[in-house]
Amino acid sequence: MPMNVLRPTEEEALAAWAALVAADAEQVARVREPEPPADHYGAIAHRFRPGALESLEWPVLDALIAPGETVLDIGAGGGRFAVPLAKKGCRVVAIEPSEAMRRTLTAAADEAGVAVEVHGVRWPAADWRVDADVSLAAHACYDIAEIGPFLDAIERHTRRLCIGVFAQFGRGAALAPLFEAVHGEPMQTLPALKEFTALLGARNRRFEVRTVSKGVEEELTEREEAFELARRMLWLAPGGAKEQRMRELMEAWWGRPEGIALPVQRRFIGIVSWEPARRD
């Protein structure tokens, strides 16, 4: 019997998630023009500093997490949420494998005058011993193939509440028409909000979803910044024929006198909270 897509088992949901991640990874490896840098986020870590991007999610997170709680921030990036949480009186333990992101986070915490405990490891980390009241994985799970062990480890080290933050669609989905026009094949899209809630349902977790939205269809961006963002999303080498084609299409489709009107990457964002499985 084929899988009932509306009632997947946990095993089926995990396999479907892994298949989406694998399809994306295979495509990226095939179309990528430059060699992967030592730190993929080195050139853009500054965009993940607190205040660099509008944090629509923050009011919801602020309401879900109480001062004085210990928060495990997995994939903390440049501190978009770690620093505000520390400022409201939480003990924040940040997990971030990117060195550039860790430098950005540490600098932001120092400037804010708060302490954030930063660990340069990948989750799940071997021999991890710190438990937290709340765990937070904000935009950190899209490309995690082994999502089951990832979530199991989160729940194992969380006492009260687990929180995942997901966009409506995965990385770069708003640029899918541009990707196809440049590379000549449809873009493979990573799992995102609806896939994650389906997975939690298959795992029999009690969860709640709160959504926030910008309410706009496009974002006006300075030209060179828009080209650089799109180049990275399309995995193109600077100065190549495909990058030139990309620039021409972006001007034709989204060019404005004052910049490039990029399609909004995240029309709405879901903040998913759930209770960890009961521990023995």
Side-chain angles (χ1 to χ4, degrees):
M1 293 290 290
M3 179 186 76
N4 185 334
V5 295
L6 293 179
R7 295 176 180 171
T9 65
E10 181 175 358
E11 292 75 18
E12 289 168 339
L14 290 170
W17 182 287
L20 289 175
V21 175
D24 170 80
E26 185 279 330
Q27 183 176 63
V28 170
R30 181 162 39 77
V31 304
R32 181 198 292 267
E33 290 189 333
E35 287 297 315
D39 188 340
H40 177 71
Y41 294 102
I44 59 171
H46 65 280
R47 290 178 53 82
F48 297 89
R49 288 177 59 90
L53 297 173
E54 184 180 8
S55 292
L56 298 173
E57 309 94 325
W58 173 248
V60 177
L61 296 176
D62 190 22
L64 288 172
I65 303 170
E69 290 195 296
T70 297
V71 181
L72 181 60
D73 188 353
I74 300 167
R80 286 182 64 203
F81 304 121
V83 172
L85 285 168
K87 289 175 70 174
K88 71 174 285 181
C90 296
R91 176 197 174 194
V92 181
V93 181
I95 302 292
E96 177 50 57
S98 163
E99 182 179 354
M101 288 289 203
R102 292 197 303 273
R103 287 197 303 267
T104 301
L105 192 164
T106 300
D110 289 344
E111 291 175 13
V114 296
V116 176
E117 183 180 328
V118 183
H119 296 264
V121 297
R122 291 189 178 276
W123 190 263
D127 301 321
W128 184 260
R129 298 187 182 279
V130 179
D131 288 348
D133 301 297
V134 179
S135 62
L136 170 64
H139 304 294
C141 301
Y142 302 109
D143 59 355
I144 304 298
E146 296 296 325
I147 191 67
F150 189 96
L151 295 177
D152 289 342
I154 287 178
E155 294 187 355
R156 190 161 56 248
H157 292 286
T158 304
R159 290 184 286 266
R160 184 177 72 82
L161 190 68
C162 306
I163 304 173
V165 179
F166 290 85
Q168 179 185 6
F169 302 113
R171 178 196 65 224
L175 300 181
L178 182 64
F179 184 102
E180 184 167 1
V182 170
H183 289 297
E185 61 183 82
M187 173 186 274
Q188 299 292 332
T189 54
L190 288 166
L193 178 61
K194 64 181 178 180
E195 290 84 5
F196 187 71
T197 55
L199 176 59
L200 284 185
R203 286 166 63 90
N204 293 315
R205 298 300 188 266
R206 177 184 178 183
F207 65 90
E208 296 183 1
V209 182
R210 300 163 178 83
T211 60
V212 292
S213 174
K214 287 187 175 182
V216 296
E217 297 294 317
E218 60 185 32
E219 291 182 327
L220 190 65
T221 305
E222 190 276 330
R223 271 182 163 71
E224 287 306 317
E225 181 181 358
F227 292 146
E228 176 61 17
L229 288 171
R231 185 185 70 77
R232 293 177 62 85
M233 289 291 183
L234 271 61
W235 310 97
L236 301 177
K242 283 189 173 182
E243 192 210 19
Q244 182 58 37
R245 171 67 171 157
M246 177 203 78
R247 287 174 173 255
E248 292 170 356
L249 289 171
M250 291 176 69
E251 286 286 7
W253 294 353
W254 306 316
R256 305 286 189 273
E258 60 274 32
I260 301 293
L262 288 173
V264 169
Q265 297 280 347
R266 298 166 176 170
R267 293 185 181 176
F268 66 82
I269 296 170
I271 298 91
V272 187
S273 57
W274 74 98
E275 300 172 0
R278 191 180 297 274
R279 296 184 289 182
D280 295 334

